[in-house]
């Protein structure tokens, strides 16, 4: 059996490739950023060819860096930014338009129209998703309606649609495979998460021909092999999952009630809810986590728009720190925020509020307020937002949360992680390898080819980094939490009043 698993993590801002060994250790990695296009306010696009070329490039680079070649790779796992849409011509393999990225808001008005027509509840029941421009369906429709000749060609069966996983696999196999996995399919708003099938009513609602869709497969199986474009040998393509679901798997959250939070630009929290989908009454998403060995696991998901991005804003717009990491030392200069709260609703508020009109606000300042208080309030805001999502998860699932597993760039901040543990009264666990997303894709691929024998086998590869136990007493945190909720109410009242 070859020695390594290669995980490809195609993210929103960069393409990454990581080579893992049997102990789940990183052997080599490569990363390349690619161009972000903002053709109009609220529009975000990527060039699908650049996504493919950067991803293929880093796959080769990581392998060469390790002094290896394709023959040393037992399997390839793919994980990706989700919801982003590519439509391409089946014959030429050329995209008919740029990829429309999950962040793109151009179809918001169409989604509002569907809401007015009373479609929201039906969509939610079938897909587990909130009616929003975030998901793929309205973006595919936009391409068919706005790219000349696209609808005619789609109806003639000449066009293919895929999320980024499909696009990469199509290219790796030179058009032999047009597939996706259940976790990616569950983000399209065209997939019934109960029957695990594309849904004809939804396809009709969004006016998308069924012939465009990829075949839906499990998250861990040998789908096929790479053709000899990037590697001289054929490598099994054996794992696919959306990046947040892959991180849940990579964090070993295999049992109901286990939760991970990825503290990147925003925060994505996912809770494993077991083998039945749990509907949300608190504006969380119900989504497929993965399908493995014939069994589907579901998750509840909540996203926060501004997490690490708050720190970037403090760095770039306030200029009170030079690097993101410096915020910790600045915030440590004070023992509390001195009554300051920062609600970073720069782009509205995500889960559990979904308030697009709320705006960023600093409250409770006095003449004594310093940069250190604001730095501390910024970090606390990340933790408070996370707490609100976890509360919603607890209520929706009825499951207790024994611990929170964390990863992503901002989880490196010890002050933030300790504060998180304190306000949750829950242990926060940070693994040694923060690349949980890539690790999850590697596990899924490795399990499919017997590189790891069973899910139990991968449990032993998890490496603990740091454990944050709650230290602060209940009364100390209750006061802060009440203040936060008052601050959020004030911010929402201000925007609703306008
Ligand atoms: N030590 C730190 N403390 C707080 N935030 C940090 C720290 N280091 C990085 N960040 C934040 O983490 C984010 C980057 O994390 P990353 O997981 O790479 O995000 P993404 O995948 O969304 O690009 C940035 O927004 C940055 O401000
Ligand atoms: O590329 P990331 O890590 O920002 O993740 C994007 C998410 O998958 C969007 O739903």
């Amino acid at each position: 059996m070859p020695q390594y698993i290669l995980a490809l993590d195609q993210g929103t801002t960069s393409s990454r490739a990581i080579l893992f060994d049997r102990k789940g250790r990183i052997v080599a990695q490569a990363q390349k950023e690619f161009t972000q296009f903002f053709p109009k306010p609220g529009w975000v696009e990527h060039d699908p060819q650049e996504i493919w070329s950067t991803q293929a490039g880093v796959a080769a680079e990581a392998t060469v860096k390790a002094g290896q070649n394709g023959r040393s790779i037992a399997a390839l796992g793919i994980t990706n930014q989700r919801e982003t849409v590519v439509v391409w011509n089946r014959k030429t393999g050329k995209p008919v338009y740029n990829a429309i990225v999950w962040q793109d808001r151009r179809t918001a008005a169409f989604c509002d129209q569907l809401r007015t027509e009373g479609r929201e509840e039906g969509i939610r029941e079938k897909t587990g998703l909130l009616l929003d421009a975030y998901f793929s369906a309205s973006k595919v429709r936009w391409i068919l309606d706005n790219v000349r000749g696209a609808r005619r060609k789609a109806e003639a069966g000449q066009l293919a649609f895929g999320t980024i996983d499909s696009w990469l696999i199509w290219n790796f196999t030179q058009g032999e495979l047009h597939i996706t996995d259940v976790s990616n399919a569950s983000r399209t708003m065209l997939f019934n998460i109960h029957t695990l099938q594309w849904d004809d009513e939804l396809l009709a609602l969004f006016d998308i021909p069924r012939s465009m869709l990829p075949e839906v497969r499990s998250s861990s199986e040998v789908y096929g092999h790479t053709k000899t474009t990037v590697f001289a040998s054929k490598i099994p393509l054996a794992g696919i999952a959306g990046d947040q679901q892959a991180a849940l798997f990579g964090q070993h959250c295999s049992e109901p009630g286990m939760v991970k939070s990825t503290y990147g630009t925003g925060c994505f929290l996912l809770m494993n809810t077991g083998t039945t989908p749990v509907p949300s009454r608190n504006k969380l998403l119900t989504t497929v986590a993965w399908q493995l060995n014939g069994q589907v696991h579901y998750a509840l998901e909540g996203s926060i728009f501004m997490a690490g991005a708050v720190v970037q804003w403090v760095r770039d717009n306030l200029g009170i720190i030079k690097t993101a990491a410096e915020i910790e030392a600045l915030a440590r200069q004070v023992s509390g925020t001195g009554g300051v709260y920062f609600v970073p609703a720069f782009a509205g508020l995500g889960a559990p509020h979904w308030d697009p009109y709320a705006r960023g606000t600093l409250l409770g300042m006095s003449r004594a307020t310093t940069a250190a208080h604001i730095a501390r309030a910024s970090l606390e805001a990340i933790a408070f937002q996370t707490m609100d999502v976890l509360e919603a998860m607890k209520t929706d699932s009825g499951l207790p949360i024994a611990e929170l597993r964390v990863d992503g760039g901002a989880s490196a901040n010890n002050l933030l992680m300790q504060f998180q543990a304190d306000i949750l009264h829950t242990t926060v666990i940070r693994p040694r390898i923060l690349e949980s997303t890539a690790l999850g894709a590697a596990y899924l691929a490795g399990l499919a080819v017997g590189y790891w024998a069973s899910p139990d086998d991968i449990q032993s590869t998890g490496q603990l980094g740091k454990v944050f136990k709650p230290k602060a007493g209940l009364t100390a945190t209750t006061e802060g939490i009440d203040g936060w909720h008052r601050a959020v109410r004030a911010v929402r009242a201000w925007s609703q009043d306008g």
Side-chain angles (χ1 to χ4, degrees):
M1 168 79 65
Q3 297 142 276
Y4 304 113
I5 300 287
L6 183 61
L8 306 183
D9 178 3
Q10 205 304 303
T12 311
T13 55
S14 73
S15 297
R16 289 199 252 202
I18 306 186
L19 206 59
F20 288 99
D21 70 8
R22 215 171 293 271
K23 293 203 163 140
R25 292 178 302 208
I26 293 177
V27 179
Q29 56 186 321
Q31 176 166 359
K32 195 156 175 26
E33 291 195 359
F34 54 84
T35 322
Q36 308 286 318
F37 297 96
F38 307 107
K40 290 187 187 178
W43 292 30
V44 189
E45 296 180 0
H46 294 156
D47 174 358
Q49 300 289 19
E50 196 183 358
I51 284 190
W52 163 239
S53 64
T54 51
Q55 194 60 74
V58 291
E61 191 185 332
T63 312
V64 171
K65 266 191 190 168
Q68 303 295 328
N69 59 41
R71 277 192 299 278
S72 339
I73 300 170
L76 216 146
I78 290 182
T79 181
N80 53 286
Q81 54 165 322
R82 307 164 304 165
E83 299 97 12
T84 299
V85 161
V86 186
V87 174
W88 67 93
N89 186 308
R90 288 185 184 279
K91 209 153 136 208
T92 63
K94 294 240 160 57
V96 302
Y97 190 77
N98 268 346
I100 303 187
V101 179
W102 58 278
Q103 297 156 323
D104 190 291
R105 307 295 309 164
R106 80 185 67 183
T107 54
F110 176 68
C111 293
D112 287 344
Q113 185 193 317
L114 291 181
R115 193 168 298 108
T116 318
E117 290 169 10
R119 305 286 189 174
E120 183 153 31
E121 210 33 53
I123 292 178
R124 189 158 171 74
E125 266 165 30
K126 284 181 169 178
T127 66
L129 306 174
L130 292 164
L131 180 50
D132 194 89
Y134 176 20
F135 304 102
S136 316
S138 61
K139 301 180 197 289
V140 182
R141 182 181 187 276
W142 188 95
I143 291 179
L144 296 185
D145 285 346
N146 290 278
V147 175
R148 194 192 297 190
R151 182 164 293 286
R152 184 180 43 77
K153 285 190 188 136
E155 274 158 10
Q158 293 166 13
L159 300 187
F161 147 67
T163 39
I164 295 295
D165 53 315
S166 303
W167 170 242
L168 293 177
I169 287 184
W170 171 277
N171 281 287
F172 268 118
T173 62
Q174 292 177 352
E176 197 177 281
L177 286 180
H178 182 210
I179 59 169
T180 187
D181 90 302
V182 276
S183 72
N184 275 294
S186 76
R187 314 298 294 192
T188 58
M189 201 164 258
L190 299 170
F191 188 70
N192 185 317
I193 59 169
H194 309 278
T195 62
L196 304 174
Q197 305 284 334
W198 296 121
D199 188 278
D200 284 323
E201 266 176 27
L202 293 172
L203 287 168
L205 185 65
F206 288 97
D207 216 356
I208 297 171
R210 201 179 228 274
S211 63
M212 294 181 75
L213 302 181
E215 185 192 340
V216 184
R217 306 280 285 266
S218 80
S219 314
S220 176
E221 63 179 280
V222 179
Y223 313 104
H225 292 78
T226 58
K227 291 237 167 146
T228 54
T229 39
V230 183
F231 297 102
S233 49
K234 292 182 168 188
I235 303 172
L237 290 156
I240 312 176
D243 56 8
Q244 302 308 324
Q245 285 92 331
L248 189 70
F249 198 73
Q251 285 269 26
H252 304 271
C253 293
S254 51
E255 298 297 323
M258 296 182 82
V259 191
K260 73 90 197 178
S261 177
T262 301
Y263 296 74
T265 308
C267 240
F268 288 96
L269 283 106
L270 268 76
M271 172 194 254
N272 185 330
T273 59
T275 51
T276 43
V278 172
S280 171
R281 280 201 224 102
N282 292 290
K283 298 189 179 170
L284 300 177
L285 307 176
T286 304
T287 202
V288 175
W290 53 75
Q291 183 178 19
L292 178 68
N293 296 333
Q295 201 165 53
V296 175
H297 272 249
Y298 291 88
L300 277 172
E301 172 172 330
S303 7
I304 297 163
F305 303 144
M306 294 281 292
V310 179
V311 178
Q312 285 169 3
W313 181 80
V314 169
R315 183 193 63 196
D316 302 336
N317 297 44
L318 290 189
I320 56 178
I321 48 172
K322 287 206 179 64
T323 64
E326 275 176 26
I327 197 167
E328 186 166 347
L330 180 59
R332 279 190 193 281
Q333 286 176 10
V334 286
S335 57
T337 65
V340 175
Y341 288 92
F342 183 12
V343 183
F346 293 82
L349 285 168
H353 311 287
W354 289 92
D355 179 349
Y357 305 107
R359 285 297 170 263
T361 312
L362 268 165
L363 302 94
M365 288 188 286
S366 71
R367 286 287 295 272
T369 300
T370 65
H373 294 113
I374 292 175
R376 199 167 180 111
S378 308
L379 293 178
E380 291 194 355
I382 300 173
F384 281 133
Q385 294 184 96
T386 302
M387 173 192 73
D388 287 344
V389 174
L390 282 175
E391 261 321 302
M393 279 180 171
K394 253 194 254 174
T395 315
D396 281 342
S397 68
L399 297 168
I401 297 174
E403 63 192 31
L404 175 66
R405 301 190 174 200
V406 300
D407 52 59
S411 73
N413 191 305
N414 290 334
L415 178 66
L416 169 61
M417 292 300 110
Q418 185 58 53
F419 184 74
Q420 189 72 82
D422 288 345
I423 57 167
L424 294 174
H425 305 291
T426 301
T427 302
V428 168
I429 298 182
R430 186 172 67 197
R432 203 171 66 72
I433 293 179
L434 291 180
E435 300 288 353
S436 315
T437 303
L439 191 55
Y443 285 153
L444 289 166
L447 284 168
V449 295
Y451 181 84
W452 288 291
S454 67
D456 288 341
D457 198 18
I458 59 173
Q459 282 297 341
S460 60
T461 64
Q463 295 166 59
L464 203 62
K466 196 163 160 63
V467 176
F468 300 87
K469 295 247 179 228
K471 284 194 192 126
L474 263 184
T475 359
T477 53
T478 309
E479 209 177 294
I481 293 167
D482 285 350
W484 164 258
H485 286 141
R486 266 172 55 218
V488 172
R489 279 199 300 275
V491 165
R492 298 195 64 193
W494 182 82
S495 62
Q496 278 155 16
D497 217 18

